[in-house]
Amino acid sequence: YIGDQTGVYRAMADGEPPWDFEFTGAGGAIEDYNVQWFPLVIGEDLDVLYIELEIAGLTHTAPMDLNIFLLDPYGGGIEIMDDSGDQVPVTDLTIVFSDKADSLPPADTELGSGPYLPMGPGAFADITQTLGEWRLLVVDDAVDDSGSFDSFTLRGHVVPEPMTLSLLAFGALAAMRRKR
């Protein structure tokens, strides 16, 4: 099931969902040589096992001038991207950041869709709850460039309830017995 911003869960139409939750915040224009906050209020308190960040529809004339941070409701912050993508413009790019990725965003070549490690590797592992106001902090640290993005999404898996773990263990045991 996927959670929307109101915390209501809905089943995905195309079968089993890959994520237990997904919350999306609006993007907007990235003002030249400026600091901007893009909020996402999550009204559902979920116990997080794994989380990743997607930034959708990124367009920028010089992505290397962007510094992006994810600030959680509990006072923590994760450096997502800093001085990446060289000066090669991107148009309508969707980028995924995950602790399970293999590499950081490139510094001296064109930025692709990823997935990439956040600049602070392992940082998503410290996120254990979802409730509250999240902020995507976007800093354009140079003049004479422009950009925007459509949205950012936090999605992930929740900690299984004890009964779910018991059922999984029971199923694994039954499968092993059947193989004998």
Side-chain angles (χ1 to χ4, degrees):
Y1 294 99
I2 304 290
D4 64 16
Q5 282 186 296
T6 63
V8 175
Y9 286 87
R10 56 186 162 76
M12 291 181 66
D14 58 350
E16 187 174 312
W19 305 106
D20 296 324
F21 65 89
E22 187 170 80
F23 298 97
T24 299
I30 299 171
E31 296 179 15
D32 190 29
Y33 200 58
N34 208 334
V35 177
Q36 293 174 262
W37 305 91
F38 296 90
L40 168 61
V41 177
I42 299 177
E44 183 82 17
D45 195 13
L46 301 172
D47 291 326
V48 174
L49 178 64
Y50 169 77
I51 197 166
E52 71 177 30
L53 170 69
E54 177 185 276
I55 299 173
L58 177 65
T59 297
H60 201 273
T61 55
M64 186 174 199
D65 298 340
L66 295 178
N67 302 314
I68 301 174
F69 301 85
L70 179 64
L71 307 177
D72 68 42
Y74 312 102
I78 301 169
E79 184 177 23
I80 300 297
M81 187 173 92
D82 183 11
D83 298 333
S84 301
D86 204 11
Q87 296 294 330
V88 181
V90 294
T91 303
D92 199 27
L93 180 65
T94 296
I95 310 172
V96 174
F97 296 92
S98 165
D99 282 340
K100 294 181 180 180
D102 294 327
S103 63
L104 295 169
D108 53 1
T109 60
E110 184 174 359
L111 196 59
S113 61
Y116 298 116
L117 289 166
M119 298 301 274
F124 287 137
D126 294 336
I127 297 173
T128 60
Q129 301 295 138
T130 57
L131 183 66
E133 183 176 9
W134 295 76
R135 293 181 183 193
L136 194 68
L137 171 63
V138 180
V139 179
D140 185 322
D141 64 5
V143 295
D144 296 328
D145 50 22
S146 62
S148 65
F149 70 102
D150 296 332
S151 63
F152 69 103
T153 300
L154 293 175
R155 63 175 156 248
H157 298 289
V158 297
V159 175
E161 295 179 19
M163 181 55 99
T164 303
L165 290 174
S166 298
L167 290 173
L168 286 172
F170 180 73
L173 180 61
M176 288 184 343
R177 282 189 167 181
R178 232 181 283 147
K179 288 183 180 182
R180 290 183 184 178

